[in-house]
Amino acid sequence: MNFEFTEEQQMIQQTAREFAQNEIAPSSVDRDKNAEFPTEIVKKLGELGFMGMMVSPDYDGAGLDTICYVLAMIEISKIDASVGVIMSVNNSLVCAGLEKYGSDHIKETYLKPLARGDKLGAFALSEPEAGSDATQQRTTAEKEGDYWILNGMKNWITNGLSADYHIVMAQTDKEKGHKGITAFVVEKGWEGFGHGQKEDKLGIKSSDTCSLTFENVKVPEENVIWEVGKGFNFAMNILNGGRYGIASQAIGIAEASLEAATKYSKQRKAFGTEIANHQAIQFKLADMATKIEAAKLLTLQAAGMRDAGKKYVKEAAMAKLYSSQIAVECALEAIQIHGGYGYVREYLVERYLRDAKITEIYEGTSEIQRIIIARELLRD
Ligand code: CAA
């Protein structure tokens, strides 16, 4: 395994770091407080090539490898995990899905503007009664001439309000169970396509999350992704790829927690010295740093395997499971080290905890990751 980053990977990491510091950090506290979507920042991320990082230049993407994507996601999420998830959904769920499984029409019409960052995407799988048990889709699509008529509801959709194009999974043949699910591209603004209220969340408040509703929405046949009946396999394959994105988001939050805790412990004095001189604090910092390195190695391994064209299902699930767990742990320890100051908004660490928790839930809960890992182990 090569532990050195290429010049290109280092350059992307540096670019992401500078962009996050200069363009994202100044508004992050206010956007979190006001639950405000970072419209201008997302536009600039597009100009930088960060909204379609792994998409081929043939489809207006940046043509970078998965390692570059992981490094950029960590740097962006370290400053603002809300921006991280917006970027992650567009890159690893929407663009990756359309590039791998979309027809020429879909790639020309939808992938190109999404990869350029001119348009934003969302991935609509979850429903009120189909979360972890994603086969239980109630949203239906019935064929009528050259159109599919979509009816139903989706829940917890990241970018739900802001996205222009939505990948929507729906039941097209109930008798066939998960083999009767189909994926479609649906445009915002089509008649009958609505949304619920913006969810008032614990964390990642600057990203928008809402439910989507479909009332006799007419979707052209050419907007079917891959093939009729392949929608569940499509969603599963794409979610494998999403998971190193969320793992990277979690690592960014964990790194931010460690940095804040280290800085504070060198300033704060107790019992006649900086608290960094107390072993109780040193042990916490050492454990946080060790866990972050382990999470990074797992995530870079999954990314490297994808770049090498290898199967990475188990590795991506391990990366997400572990990175999300240590993000919560590191945020909690950062609060503990800050004491009372960690519990108020003046310091950022309370936000890190609020932002970290969702990484154990979306794109497959930790329990689902364990199921995926165990199934892969038992299959070997
Ligand atoms: N990769 C590829 N294919 C997979 C897969 C994986 N990880 N897991 C299952 N599949 C395939 C199986 O091979 C099988 O395919 P075939 O029928 O062609 O052989 C098919 O899916 C059905 O598999 P199972 O019988 O194993 O299905 P199951 O119902 O027992 O379990 C599950 C599947 C893994 C639990 C799945 O339901 C799952 O991953 N649930 C979690 C869903 C999820 O991650 N939701 C996140 C929502 S999106 C989101 O959060 C985005 C956001 O906005 C941030």
Side-chain angles (χ1 to χ4, degrees), residues 85 88-89 93 122-126 130-136 155-159 178-179 204 209 230 232-240 243 246 311 313-314 317 358 361-365 368-369 371-372 375-376 379:
V85 74
S88 178
V89 166
L93 296 185
F123 185 85
L125 174 68
S126 301
S132 289
D133 190 2
T135 58
Q136 301 305 307
N155 249 23
W156 317 125
I157 307 306
T158 305
N159 297 343
H178 76 269
K179 294 281 186 202
I204 54 161
T209 307
K230 296 269 196 189
F232 190 75
N233 294 80
F234 163 81
M236 290 299 108
N237 290 340
I238 295 310
L239 278 166
N240 291 327
R243 284 167 184 149
I246 300 305
K311 191 179 173 202
V313 175
K314 183 179 72 191
I358 190 62
I361 299 172
Y362 57 21
E363 298 201 22
T365 61
I368 291 294
Q369 304 311 318
I371 289 175
I372 294 169
R375 284 182 179 179
E376 291 296 313
R379 182 175 295 145

Side-chain angles (χ1 to χ4, degrees), residues 178-228:
H178 76 269
K179 294 281 186 202
I181 294 171
T182 303
F184 302 89
V185 184
V186 181
E187 292 187 31
K188 179 184 189 165
W190 279 356
E191 205 179 332
F193 182 10
H195 57 75
Q197 279 195 337
K198 186 170 163 174
E199 302 290 352
D200 185 8
K201 300 176 301 218
L202 175 71
I204 54 161
K205 290 176 85 76
S206 174
S207 73
D208 65 43
T209 307
C210 67
S211 57
L212 305 176
T213 53
F214 307 95
E215 262 183 68
N216 297 320
V217 179
K218 276 176 84 175
V219 182
E221 170 70 31
E222 60 197 7
N223 281 29
V224 168
I225 302 170
W226 197 2
E227 279 173 33
V228 172

Side-chain angles (χ1 to χ4, degrees), residues 328-356:
V328 173
E329 288 171 8
C330 288
L332 276 169
E333 286 296 51
I335 292 176
Q336 192 67 17
I337 290 170
H338 280 73
Y341 292 104
Y343 203 66
V344 293
R345 280 191 183 235
E346 186 185 346
Y347 288 78
L348 290 176
V349 287
E350 61 83 33
R351 189 184 97 209
Y352 299 152
L353 180 62
R354 290 189 286 107
D355 287 351

